[in-house]
Amino acid sequence: MNIVLQTDFSNTWGGVASMKGIIKSVNDSLDIIDLTHDIDKFNVFEASLSLHRVIPYWPSQTIFISVVDPGVGSERLPLACLTNSGKYIFSPDNGSLTHMKKHIAQSRIIDWKYGLRNEGSVFDGRDLFANAAALLADEQITFEELGKEYPVEYLSECEEYSIRPFLELHKTSGFIMTGNRHFGGIELNIKNKDFDNCDFDFGDKVNIVIKNNECILFDEEVKYHKAFSFVSKGKAILYPGSSGFLSLDINQGHFMNTYNVSAGKDYQVIISKKP
Amino acid sequence: MNIVLQTDFSNTWGGVASMKGIIKSVNDSLDIIDLTHDIDKFNVFEASLSLHRVIPYWPSQTIFISVVDPGVGSERLPLACLTNSGKYIFSPDNGSLTHMKKHIAQSRIIDWKYGLRNEGSVFDGRDLFANAAALLADEQITFEELGKEYPVEYLSECEEYSIRPFLELHKTSGFIMTGNRHFGGIELNIKNKDFDNCDFDFGDKVNIVIKNNECILFDEEVKYHKAFSFVSKGKAILYPGSSGFLSLDINQGHFMNTYNVSAGKDYQVIISKKP
Amino acid sequence: MNIVLQTDFSNTWGGVASMKGIIKSVNDSLDIIDLTHDIDKFNVFEASLSLHRVIPYWPSQTIFISVVDPGVGSERLPLACLTNSGKYIFSPDNGSLTHMKKHIAQSRIIDWKYGLRNEGSVFDGRDLFANAAALLADEQITFEELGKEYPVEYLSECEEYSIRPFLELHKTSGFIMTGNRHFGGIELNIKNKDFDNCDFDFGDKVNIVIKNNECILFDEEVKYHKAFSFVSKGKAILYPGSSGFLSLDINQGHFMNTYNVSAGKDYQVIISKKP
């Protein structure tokens, strides 16, 4: 079984390597793969979205450990979950499971008897999650033995998840759901098909305003089209993102850095079709 | 068989992890190693040079996947290549194979029947290259079955590759072929032995000018010697690089950041021996 | 056997991947894990501390290779060490073994007959350490065969290691031993229990001054408490770090960036209890 790790630790210090050591101490032939360790610090919404986007590409039996945990040491529960397609996710119950929740068949509270310290450790990723996941991967314990069941409907959800976009004819607004800090593009919480239903068409020029609270960061006319090749290099483009959400980027540029925008519900985006 | 990945995606989002999931879905015991995911964005020349420098250290049968692809969605062909020493390289035919071309025995156009979407996906690295490479690694298909042969002589080459330096007695010029963004040193497109033939000797003080178009970024006297230890800390040194090309760096400093230089044919370097 | 790599190379170029290729050329089923490749450049003290903190979490038989080597090409010895708990460490003898020294049972000078070039290579990590470690991992040679014994007491130690803090009633001073560049917290060379003995108590407000040579970077009243939750978001806190050393950070902030401090013996910290 493969163990896939996601954290917001970065790999610039020994945090991740300590978790890997714990796993290899259970069985040194377990295979460990990094999903990413560069989730935006303490950003459980990004952690949740990342799991939701990557997990479908992995085979059943894969074990995911996600440790993005602003409340380490607080009361949130350490959970192990089994998805409908037979994959496992270990994570604190702090919103990191928001997007996967509807795909989770069963969740359990990991018993601290599988921990390497007493409850209250400041590094649960290493002292509890890594060890418990490795024991499961090595088939020393079953999923059921990990701890008592916890109703899936109780899993915490990020507030952002339930914010719906505003949709009407030729006008829509939402917020920046996520951004790719490397390539610079952003995705809105507006589904491609909902945008379509507002009667926008490829080739349209639309007006886009981006505000952070009352500060206007972007106010320009942008072409809506299906691929980057429809605008010249350096020009912004609005397009239906491959993950199903309306996306905004600059052809061979970096939208986030250029306009100083970031992801989050405070970044409001208003799109209207020019009459 | 080992699969080695190179991209310009960074590992800050799920792109690389999705490719790994596809590979592990073919056979979860395949071993995946990261060459780097920090190739300069869209820089196929750097991707090509990186493959050329790392591949010799790997055993035959290793499968390399390189996805640096400014033209994703465009017409460049998805290729699988077999080198003379029995290694495999999967890459779009966009210049990424420039340096390895002379070591390639056979190349084939990967058939989209091994793809996970229809042709025209926006993420060929995941939807075509990863899956096809994993099928080969797992011996579910042979190299020949990957697709029809494509003449090696047709492989695209980066324009920079054919630019020759100017060489005469006590004077030479070229461009910055590559730079190490971490340690800060640069390499010129001038071979150590060609420089030698221009009658420069260890211990010489040479004048070096670096220009980006008409802007002069560097104009200083520099010592040419064989190792960093021949100049004091903080001083620039010109030396024969271990990859065979003339190199310029600062002893325990960062040449690229200090002088605001980057790699590319627009960065011209003129070296002359003081009379 | 697992091989764990630590360097200051970053993974943005092919240095690390070349080392991995050499290891896989010995036996392509050897498993290679990254500890980190982001040790502060040329910082052997950080390399040493990192090994000391991560190695305890790994099982016996694990082979660690650490290559942080400002003096590559100079006379420092290439060593292979066996710890008291049966783990192996390959490193140049340049201070990188400072903290592990007391746990090392035996050390040997790696014979260049296991090197891939002649002695004097500029990349010992690849040309000597990687190959020798892989031969040991693959049981082609024994630890004893690696080279002649070198007395453990001769291992180089970083100067910083022997600097003791100043400790008296209600007043103590030391230096910044290490910092987490990602999360931003710093650790002093003052042990939690020594600080305790100076009669500081949880809840105390203490005055902290940080100086870099004569420049004062920080001079504020800070709460000393056991966990972040005892100060509000954005506030500094002094607390007993989980590694046993007194630590300073900002709740959900980045102390190092906020106050422009770094690690090193030039960063002096003076802590006094308000009367």
Side-chain angles (χ1 to χ4, degrees):
Chain A
M1 274 199 250
N2 289 290
I3 297 180
V4 179
L5 303 183
Q6 170 177 284
T7 72
D8 62 348
F9 300 170
S10 83
N11 205 17
T12 57
W13 57 291
V16 171
S18 299
M19 289 177 66
K20 292 181 181 176
I22 292 296
I23 292 167
K24 291 285 192 177
S25 295
V26 169
N27 182 334
D28 76 2
S29 67
L30 289 171
D31 202 358
I32 308 169
I33 300 99
D34 298 310
L35 198 166
T36 181
H37 298 293
D38 291 304
I39 293 291
D40 186 33
K41 252 177 282 184
F42 312 129
N43 190 337
V44 293
F45 186 73
E46 183 173 310
S48 173
L49 193 57
S50 174
L51 288 174
H52 185 247
R53 293 190 167 183
V54 170
I55 288 177
Y57 294 102
W58 285 79
S60 64
Q61 300 294 314
T62 304
I63 297 173
F64 296 85
I65 304 178
S66 176
V67 186
V68 175
D69 199 7
V72 67
S74 72
E75 292 306 298
R76 82 287 171 287
L77 295 168
L79 296 182
C81 305
L82 173 63
T83 72
N84 291 318
S85 48
K87 304 168 194 178
Y88 300 95
I89 313 172
F90 287 66
S91 171
D93 178 32
N94 59 8
S96 294
L97 299 165
T98 300
H99 295 81
M100 286 305 294
K101 185 171 175 176
K102 61 176 172 292
H103 304 288
I104 291 175
Q106 208 182 104
S107 67
R108 293 181 176 274
I109 303 168
I110 305 168
D111 196 313
W112 264 96
K113 74 182 174 195
Y114 303 116
L116 298 172
R117 284 192 186 178
N118 296 328
E119 193 165 352
S121 149
V122 290
F123 192 174
D124 292 355
R126 180 190 65 201
D127 298 334
L128 182 61
F129 291 110
N131 194 54
L135 292 171
L136 177 66
D138 197 37
E139 299 179 18
Q140 294 187 24
I141 57 172
T142 63
F143 178 68
E144 287 68 28
E145 288 171 319
L146 276 166
K148 68 172 189 216
E149 203 172 340
Y150 183 73
V152 175
E153 63 266 32
Y154 290 2
L155 293 188
S156 303
E157 289 182 39
C158 294
E159 176 197 3
E160 293 91 325
Y161 190 61
S162 53
I163 302 175
R164 298 282 160 248
F166 169 87
L167 300 163
E168 68 173 28
L169 187 69
H170 296 172
K171 184 158 186 184
T172 171
S173 68
F175 68 90
I176 302 180
M177 188 173 67
T178 189
N180 184 314
R181 288 184 295 279
H182 181 64
F183 283 114
I186 58 173
E187 287 178 52
L188 314 182
N189 70 329
I190 300 167
K191 288 188 175 150
N192 295 332
K193 65 177 197 306
D194 288 339
F195 188 68
D196 229 45
N197 289 339
C198 295
D199 204 23
F200 290 90
D201 302 295
F202 287 143
D204 282 355
K205 289 184 172 172
V206 298
N207 187 261
I208 301 181
V209 175
I210 303 180
K211 293 197 291 189
N212 181 17
N213 296 315
E214 285 318 297
C215 175
I216 292 178
L217 300 168
F218 183 86
D219 183 355
E220 292 191 18
E221 191 183 279
V222 173
K223 198 188 267 188
Y224 171 59
H225 223 305
K226 65 178 164 184
F228 278 46
S229 49
F230 288 89
V231 300
S232 50
K233 188 173 163 175
K235 284 283 180 192
I237 176 171
L238 184 73
Y239 64 99
S242 58
S243 302
F245 291 89
L246 199 59
S247 299
L248 184 56
D249 206 346
I250 294 172
N251 187 10
Q252 292 182 54
H254 197 290
F255 192 88
M256 295 180 78
N257 289 351
T258 304
Y259 296 104
N260 199 23
V261 304
S262 193
K265 63 184 161 48
D266 295 337
Y267 288 86
Q268 256 220 302
V269 183
I270 302 116
I271 304 173
S272 53
K273 190 162 174 169
K274 315 275 289 191
Chain B
M1 274 199 250
N2 289 290
I3 297 180
V4 179
L5 303 183
Q6 170 176 284
T7 73
D8 62 348
F9 300 170
S10 84
N11 205 17
T12 57
W13 57 291
V16 171
S18 299
M19 289 177 66
K20 292 180 181 176
I22 293 296
I23 292 167
K24 291 285 192 177
S25 295
V26 170
N27 181 334
D28 76 1
S29 68
L30 289 171
D31 202 358
I32 308 168
I33 299 98
D34 298 309
L35 198 166
T36 181
H37 299 292
D38 291 303
I39 293 291
D40 186 33
K41 253 177 282 185
F42 312 129
N43 190 337
V44 293
F45 187 73
E46 183 173 310
S48 173
L49 194 57
S50 173
L51 288 174
H52 185 247
R53 293 188 167 185
V54 170
I55 288 177
Y57 294 102
W58 285 79
S60 64
Q61 300 293 313
T62 304
I63 296 174
F64 296 86
I65 304 177
S66 176
V67 186
V68 175
D69 198 8
V72 67
S74 72
E75 293 305 298
R76 83 286 171 288
L77 295 169
L79 296 182
C81 305
L82 173 63
T83 72
N84 291 318
S85 48
K87 304 168 195 179
Y88 300 95
I89 313 172
F90 287 66
S91 171
D93 179 32
N94 59 9
S96 294
L97 299 165
T98 299
H99 295 81
M100 286 304 294
K101 184 171 176 176
K102 60 176 172 292
H103 304 288
I104 291 175
Q106 207 182 104
S107 67
R108 293 182 175 274
I109 303 167
I110 305 168
D111 196 314
W112 265 96
K113 74 182 174 195
Y114 303 116
L116 298 171
R117 284 192 186 178
N118 296 328
E119 192 165 352
S121 149
V122 290
F123 192 174
D124 291 355
R126 181 190 64 200
D127 298 334
L128 182 62
F129 291 110
N131 195 54
L135 292 171
L136 177 66
D138 197 37
E139 299 180 18
Q140 295 187 24
I141 57 173
T142 63
F143 178 68
E144 287 68 28
E145 288 171 317
L146 276 165
K148 68 172 191 220
E149 203 172 340
Y150 183 73
V152 174
E153 63 266 32
Y154 290 1
L155 294 188
S156 303
E157 288 182 41
C158 294
E159 175 196 3
E160 293 92 325
Y161 190 61
S162 53
I163 302 175
R164 298 281 160 250
F166 169 86
L167 300 162
E168 68 173 28
L169 187 68
H170 296 172
K171 183 158 187 186
T172 171
S173 68
F175 68 90
I176 302 181
M177 188 174 66
T178 189
N180 184 315
R181 288 184 295 279
H182 181 65
F183 283 114
I186 58 173
E187 287 178 53
L188 314 181
N189 70 329
I190 300 167
K191 288 189 175 150
N192 295 332
K193 64 177 198 307
D194 288 339
F195 188 69
D196 229 44
N197 290 339
C198 295
D199 204 23
F200 290 90
D201 302 296
F202 286 143
D204 281 354
K205 288 183 173 173
V206 298
N207 188 261
I208 301 182
V209 175
I210 302 180
K211 293 197 291 188
N212 181 17
N213 297 314
E214 285 318 297
C215 175
I216 292 179
L217 299 168
F218 184 87
D219 183 356
E220 292 190 18
E221 191 182 278
V222 173
K223 197 188 267 187
Y224 171 59
H225 223 304
K226 65 178 164 184
F228 278 46
S229 50
F230 289 89
V231 300
S232 51
K233 188 173 162 174
K235 284 284 180 193
I237 176 171
L238 184 73
Y239 64 99
S242 58
S243 302
F245 291 89
L246 199 59
S247 300
L248 184 56
D249 206 347
I250 295 172
N251 187 9
Q252 292 182 54
H254 197 291
F255 192 89
M256 295 180 78
N257 289 351
T258 304
Y259 296 104
N260 199 24
V261 305
S262 193
K265 63 183 162 47
D266 295 337
Y267 288 86
Q268 257 220 302
V269 183
I270 302 117
I271 304 173
S272 53
K273 190 162 174 169
K274 315 274 289 190
Chain C
M1 274 199 250
N2 289 290
I3 297 180
V4 179
L5 303 183
Q6 170 176 284
T7 73
D8 62 349
F9 300 171
S10 83
N11 205 18
T12 57
W13 58 291
V16 171
S18 300
M19 289 177 66
K20 292 180 181 177
I22 293 296
I23 292 167
K24 291 285 192 176
S25 295
V26 170
N27 181 334
D28 76 1
S29 67
L30 289 171
D31 202 358
I32 308 168
I33 299 99
D34 298 309
L35 198 167
T36 181
H37 298 292
D38 291 303
I39 292 291
D40 186 33
K41 252 177 283 185
F42 312 130
N43 190 337
V44 293
F45 187 73
E46 183 173 309
S48 172
L49 194 57
S50 174
L51 288 174
H52 185 246
R53 293 189 168 184
V54 170
I55 288 177
Y57 294 102
W58 285 79
S60 64
Q61 300 293 314
T62 304
I63 296 173
F64 296 86
I65 304 177
S66 176
V67 186
V68 175
D69 198 7
V72 67
S74 72
E75 292 305 298
R76 82 286 171 289
L77 295 169
L79 296 182
C81 305
L82 172 63
T83 72
N84 291 318
S85 48
K87 304 168 194 179
Y88 299 95
I89 312 172
F90 286 66
S91 171
D93 179 33
N94 59 9
S96 295
L97 299 165
T98 300
H99 296 81
M100 286 305 294
K101 185 171 176 176
K102 60 176 172 292
H103 304 287
I104 291 175
Q106 208 182 105
S107 66
R108 293 182 175 274
I109 303 167
I110 304 168
D111 196 314
W112 265 96
K113 74 182 175 196
Y114 303 115
L116 298 172
R117 285 192 185 178
N118 296 328
E119 192 165 352
S121 148
V122 289
F123 192 174
D124 291 355
R126 181 189 65 201
D127 298 335
L128 182 61
F129 291 110
N131 195 54
L135 292 171
L136 177 66
D138 197 37
E139 300 180 18
Q140 295 187 24
I141 57 172
T142 63
F143 178 68
E144 287 69 27
E145 288 171 318
L146 276 165
K148 68 172 190 219
E149 203 172 340
Y150 183 73
V152 175
E153 63 266 32
Y154 290 1
L155 293 187
S156 303
E157 289 182 41
C158 294
E159 175 196 4
E160 293 91 324
Y161 190 61
S162 52
I163 302 175
R164 298 282 160 249
F166 169 86
L167 300 162
E168 68 173 28
L169 187 69
H170 296 172
K171 184 158 187 185
T172 171
S173 68
F175 68 90
I176 302 181
M177 188 174 67
T178 189
N180 184 315
R181 288 184 295 279
H182 181 64
F183 284 114
I186 58 173
E187 287 178 53
L188 314 182
N189 70 329
I190 300 167
K191 288 188 175 150
N192 295 333
K193 64 177 198 306
D194 288 339
F195 188 68
D196 229 44
N197 290 339
C198 295
D199 204 23
F200 290 90
D201 302 296
F202 287 143
D204 281 355
K205 288 183 173 174
V206 298
N207 188 261
I208 301 182
V209 175
I210 302 180
K211 293 197 291 188
N212 181 17
N213 297 314
E214 284 318 298
C215 176
I216 292 179
L217 300 168
F218 183 86
D219 183 355
E220 291 190 19
E221 191 182 279
V222 173
K223 198 188 265 186
Y224 170 59
H225 223 305
K226 65 177 163 183
F228 278 47
S229 50
F230 289 89
V231 300
S232 51
K233 187 173 163 175
K235 284 283 180 193
I237 176 171
L238 184 73
Y239 64 100
S242 58
S243 301
F245 291 89
L246 199 59
S247 300
L248 184 57
D249 206 347
I250 295 172
N251 187 10
Q252 292 182 53
H254 197 291
F255 192 89
M256 295 180 79
N257 289 352
T258 304
Y259 296 105
N260 199 23
V261 305
S262 193
K265 62 184 162 48
D266 296 337
Y267 288 86
Q268 256 220 302
V269 183
I270 302 116
I271 304 174
S272 53
K273 190 163 174 168
K274 315 275 289 190

